[in-house]
Amino acid sequence: MKYPKTNKKPVIENFFGTTVIDNYRWLEDDKSAATKAWVTTENEVTNNYLSKIPYREQLKDRLSELWNYEKVGTPFIEGDYTYFSKNNGLQNQDVIYRKKENSEPEVFLDPNTFSEDATTSLGSLSFSEDSKTAAYSISEGGSDWRKIIIIDTESKIITEDALIDIKFSGVSWYKNEGFYYSSYDKPKGSELSAKTDEHKLQYHKLGTSQKEDVIVFGGIPSEKHRYVFGSLTEDYKYLVISAQVSTSGNKLFIKDLSNPNSKLITILDHVESDTHVIDNRGSKLYLITNLNAPNKKVVIVDAANPTSENWKDFIPETENVLSISTGAGFFFANYMVDAVSKVLQYDLDGNLLREIKLPGLGSADGFSGKTRATDLYFSFTNYNTPASSFKLNPTNGTYTSYWKPSIAFNSDAFESKQVFYKSKDGTKIPMIITHKKGVELNGKNPTILYGYGGFNVSLTPAFSIANAVWMEQGGIYAVPNLRGGGEYGKKWHDAGTQFNKQNVFDDFIAAAEYLLSEKYTSSKFLAIRGGSNGGLLVGATMTQRPDLMKVALPAVGVLDMLRYHTFTAGAGWAYDYGTAEDNKEMFAYLKGYSPVHTVKKGVKYPATLITTGDHDDRVVPAHSFKFAAELQDKQCGENPTLIRIETNAGHGAGTPVTKTISQYADIFGFTLFNMGFKQLPNPPRAK
């Protein structure tokens, strides 16, 4: 491969007596002409390579064909209407519909009309108490910065100027009068990469200018936090404020809105737990917490004395991780049992009523609604079953099918198996392996090993059209539940953070070794893939064990571990990573696995396709740019190291379907091509 020449402009820094040279710091300037020219040139080289893959268009056609089925989201009720999202098949963005009972659905919001190129997407959608006014947020070009638009729901007419410069925010209505939202002051310099550090909760009164919005929390030094969120109890009695310095752990406050003179009451004044108010009955508060309960439990407390010493167990902690939802006056405890859902229903007194027997082994989501709701909805999916939705009668626990997809994919021809393997230190790690029935374990199956391992995120079984196409080609798809995730609670998460981060990479390496030893695949036919924190996982694994895989696919990755905390909201990830400024030991630990800093000259790295978006303001594209430059400079051997930079795209959410299909065709095409396939393993039949 002949790569573009990437100029080295050394920036020398000293960390605790150690000199670090950053040759590609200039690529961090997303506004510079030089960076833009570099992006253009790299994309040209990548596109030239990808265009020579003989089955690139075949993959794109099959992805488009399989993608082209109607998809309907889990419904929710507002006023006289049932609202739901729907996509006819290949629409770039899902459309919000609504219907009254016994009437035909009508379009409520069509994000495909928001911009000509369909890169403006819908974020949150929230309704006033009487459901006559709605506020929805939009993202332009994949950015985390949002606008909030307010409309009259009956006429669908915009009623006032959009609120702008809003980031990491929900919309929480107070009756019919206004709503709470969160944002940062707009940064000076680059909107994409400049640091955002001081979140503020604000209140917008309908019919007033955004300039008049009141700062409710975060406006004074003692209230400074990186993330601040506000929500209201369903009866509008309490405003609940959560304040965080990192992505894990929050302080918690409430304010009694029924008393205009009430002061903020502290529930928790430290960030040693994740604790949230989930419901109330008058002054009785129900909270979900992992304080002294790593797998989470539900507690009750009176709002007059809500600190933790007064909490009483309502749904005690078990050996399985709990998430909770409320609806129709019930609690639905969704337990993760080895990454698979089990749902129990409780009444308001904490009595276990029943288990909701799910359609199979997989992931269930939903079971939420207003207290007065008579019906609730939930969705169910697994790796070889597309998501369906069900209508639940909460009084007796029975449910009926509400919507089931009609898709040209034979789920019965595929199977999933959960295995447990041992990591380097002997820890048992679960992994779900999915493939066509009857696959021969001969070490020659193209395999994608996908992982994340961080931020308390749990990878539970879910259907993916793209992975279905991969498996149709005889591909194996394997997902281990690595430490750092949330599958086994806070202890599991903490076992993959900071000085324990190497555990995550060891777990992933051990997963690969298991697939090789059991003859699912071999190093010639193994690809590793992950995005965001999972992009770091891929970058660290391929630099530590380049011999283990043939292809590496790091997407929107956190790849410069010495500087990640200096961009946008990156400093909020310190709970998981620590920072190079903490102390000498943490600096050395981060540098020891930072993908940008561990690429070595003369090493044969796997064929690598780095993917990122030029508008990614979550994990700035400079991470991927610098990693690509290092690999291209130092790669030994014939394996290509390319970067595919999607224009007018961000971290992933809201990406148009057309862009998503093209990206998967390129990823799968690159993977199979570098595994030696001159044609598709299972070419589609001629029509």
Side-chain angles (χ1 to χ4, degrees), residues 586-606:
M586 184 58 79
F587 155 72
Y589 192 81
L590 288 166
K591 185 173 181 289
Y593 73 77
S594 174
V596 164
H597 299 91
T598 49
V599 180
K600 296 183 176 67
K601 195 124 187 131
V603 173
K604 185 178 179 180
Y605 291 103

Side-chain angles (χ1 to χ4, degrees), residues 247-249 273-276 288-290 293-296 321-323 336 452-460 481-497 501 504 533 573 575-577:
T247 47
S248 289
S273 72
D274 299 287
T275 303
H276 305 283
I288 186 167
T289 184
N290 59 10
N295 292 337
K296 294 193 175 177
V321 179
L322 168 69
S323 60
M336 214 169 357
Y452 189 80
F455 294 89
N456 202 38
V457 170
S458 301
L459 295 186
T460 57
N481 298 111
L482 313 171
R483 281 175 284 186
E487 291 87 352
Y488 295 103
K490 187 170 172 56
K491 288 179 182 174
W492 193 254
H493 175 208
D494 288 348
T497 61
K501 189 67 182 172
V504 187
N533 172 73
W573 312 335
Y575 181 95
D576 265 61
Y577 299 144

